[in-house]
Amino acid sequence: MKTAKPATAPPAPPAPPAVELRVPTDEDALNWHRVFNDPEVMEFHGGSPAELSVYEEFTARQRRHHAELGFCLYTLLDPADGAVIGFTGAQPWPRDWGPAGEIEIGWRLGRAYWGRGYATAAATAALASVRAAGVRHVVAMVDARNERSIAVTRRLGMRRAETVIPPEGDRTVYCHRLEL
C-alpha cells in the first residue's frame, strides 16, 4: 500500500534585493560614466558610452529635478559596499517626440548588476517619491529590442500603450504606462 506524499508549497519567490537611492552628487557624474562605459549597457542608449561632460550635465539636471519636483533619477547604490551600480527614478520626458510633458520612469545599471532584481526593486522604491509628489501616472519608453527592460515594466505592473518611431526612424520604442 502506497502512502500519499504530503503536498508541499512551491518555494516563495526570492525577496527583492535591498536598494539604496540618493540624489546624484557631483561625483556621481564620474561614477555613472565609469559604470556605463560598456557597449552592452549602452546598446539601447545610443550604442557607445557618453563623454564625462554628458554625465556632469545629467547629474546636475537630476539635482534640479529633485529640488523642483521632489523626484529625479537617483543614484543606485549597492547596499553591501556603497558602490554606485546605476540609476533609477523619474524625470520629465526630455524630448519633443513621444510622451512630451509626461513623467518617465527609467533605470540603467552596470552590466555586473543585471539579472539580480535591482532595477525592479529600485524602480518600485523610486515610485514612492513620484507618488508623494502627486504624480498620477508615469511612462517608460523602452526600445522594442530591450527585452530585459520590457520585463521590468511588466514586473512594475505597467502596460504597453503605444508604439513610437523616433524622428531618426532607426528603431521602435514602446511606451508603457502605469497609473499610480
Side-chain angles (χ1 to χ4, degrees):
M1 179 154 108
K2 273 187 157 176
T3 56
K5 281 185 162 181
T8 57
V19 293
E20 185 178 335
L21 303 175
R22 74 167 181 225
V23 175
T25 64
D26 286 333
E27 295 80 24
D28 285 335
L30 183 58
N31 292 325
W32 290 4
H33 182 261
R34 178 185 45 78
V35 171
F36 303 144
N37 190 15
D38 180 321
E40 275 190 276
V41 171
M42 298 305 293
E43 178 180 3
F44 304 112
H45 306 285
S48 59
E51 297 295 323
L52 177 59
S53 60
V54 170
Y55 291 109
E56 289 169 339
E57 189 280 326
F58 195 35
T59 55
R61 184 171 5 128
Q62 297 313 311
R63 288 190 296 278
R64 282 192 307 275
H65 287 328
H66 190 266
E68 295 168 5
L69 304 171
F71 56 86
C72 66
L73 291 172
Y74 297 97
T75 296
L76 175 56
L77 304 171
D78 183 335
D81 62 10
V84 171
I85 63 175
F87 65 67
T88 190
Q91 66 175 348
W93 174 248
R95 295 176 173 78
D96 57 3
W97 57 269
E102 297 194 59
I103 302 301
E104 179 198 29
I105 186 165
W107 46 86
R108 188 180 311 166
L109 277 67
R111 177 67 185 96
Y113 300 93
W114 290 3
R116 298 188 193 180
Y118 283 112
T120 303
T124 299
L127 283 172
S129 61
V130 176
R131 279 187 193 97
V135 175
R136 299 210 179 272
H137 70 273
V138 294
V139 298
M141 297 295 284
V142 180
D143 188 294
R145 301 164 298 158
N146 190 341
E147 294 177 19
R148 291 177 178 277
S149 281
I150 291 170
V152 172
T153 66
R154 281 191 212 107
R155 287 190 291 273
L156 292 172
M158 301 186 91
R159 64 174 174 73
R160 189 167 92 193
E162 303 166 46
T163 299
V164 179
I165 306 296
E168 310 86 60
D170 60 347
R171 63 194 173 115
T172 300
V173 177
Y174 295 144
C175 177
H176 301 263
R177 295 186 177 278
L178 177 66
E179 297 299 319
L180 299 178

